[in-house]
Amino acid sequence: EQQLKKLQLIRKSNNKTKAMPFDDEKKIKRLKEREAKLLSRGYKAVDEGREKKADRILGRAANVENRIITLEEKGKMAMKNDAIDRIGKYSISKEFDGKEVEGTLSMKKNILGKTVGVEKFNFPNGGTRVEKTVYNNEGKPTKRTTKDKKIN
């Protein structure tokens, strides 16, 4: 018996898993699949008239959706922090009202040594949007301003 326990302890100590870095793209894909599954189950429960079950399942789906949004924003912030280190002009795109709009990102240093990012988007209907963000020395945003110009 004691030898068996020793063998089991040795096996447990040898089977340690290595810490793998997270692949956010795979995680987002997996979470979107899970969200779709939860939504279909929730809507099925609504059709069956089981309101409590539907509320519970749709609440889980909402939590999964929040996790997806957080991961996507985390990826965008990582890209933005990389851009902070590189002063210059970049081509970017952003989604407004379900439509992808092309624009430019200009990274500059101001007089105080802080990094300033200016995102300028030209809409197909003629309007423009300018988003100005000031970053501190650690790369965290400290001030944001947005200006919209609409042409009627």
Side-chain angles (χ1 to χ4, degrees):
E1 252 181 85
Q2 287 180 340
Q3 286 179 338
L4 182 64
K5 286 182 182 179
K6 283 182 183 178
L7 282 174
Q8 287 174 344
L9 287 174
I10 290 171
R11 284 185 190 149
K12 281 184 182 178
S13 64
N14 289 340
N15 289 339
K16 290 182 182 174
T17 57
K18 293 180 182 176
M20 298 295 287
F22 288 109
D23 185 5
D24 286 341
E25 295 299 320
K26 284 184 182 177
K27 193 170 191 175
I28 289 171
K29 182 183 173 195
R30 182 181 57 81
L31 287 172
K32 283 184 178 180
E33 290 170 359
R34 182 173 178 205
E35 181 191 18
K37 206 179 285 186
L38 285 169
L39 285 173
S40 67
R41 283 177 49 206
Y43 293 142
K44 183 180 176 186
V46 168
D47 292 342
E48 293 171 355
R50 301 180 71 185
E51 294 299 321
K52 282 187 179 180
K53 182 177 181 179
D55 287 345
R56 188 180 74 243
I57 292 173
L58 292 174
R60 279 194 217 158
N63 290 341
V64 171
E65 183 183 17
N66 289 343
R67 287 176 59 197
I68 292 169
I69 292 168
T70 304
L71 283 171
E72 288 173 344
E73 287 176 355
K74 180 178 139 188
K76 288 178 185 175
M77 279 306 292
M79 287 173 34
K80 199 142 199 168
N81 286 339
D82 290 343
I84 289 171
D85 298 334
R86 291 183 233 114
I87 304 300
K89 200 167 195 175
Y90 304 94
S91 176
I92 58 172
S93 63
K94 204 173 197 180
E95 192 172 311
F96 293 100
D97 296 331
K99 295 178 183 174
E100 200 75 20
V101 179
E102 296 293 321
T104 58
L105 168 65
S106 300
M107 300 301 289
K108 307 171 192 170
K109 289 269 187 191
N110 68 5
I111 298 170
L112 302 173
K114 295 183 179 180
T115 307
V116 179
V118 179
E119 297 177 8
K120 185 173 183 180
F121 299 97
N122 294 319
F123 295 104
N125 63 358
T128 60
R129 180 184 194 118
V130 179
E131 296 177 4
K132 186 176 178 182
T133 309
V134 179
Y135 299 93
N136 62 10
N137 295 334
E138 298 166 2
K140 295 181 181 175
T142 55
K143 184 179 177 185
R144 283 196 174 110
T145 56
T146 304
K147 290 183 183 176
D148 288 328
K149 288 185 181 178
K150 294 181 183 177
I151 297 174
N152 294 331

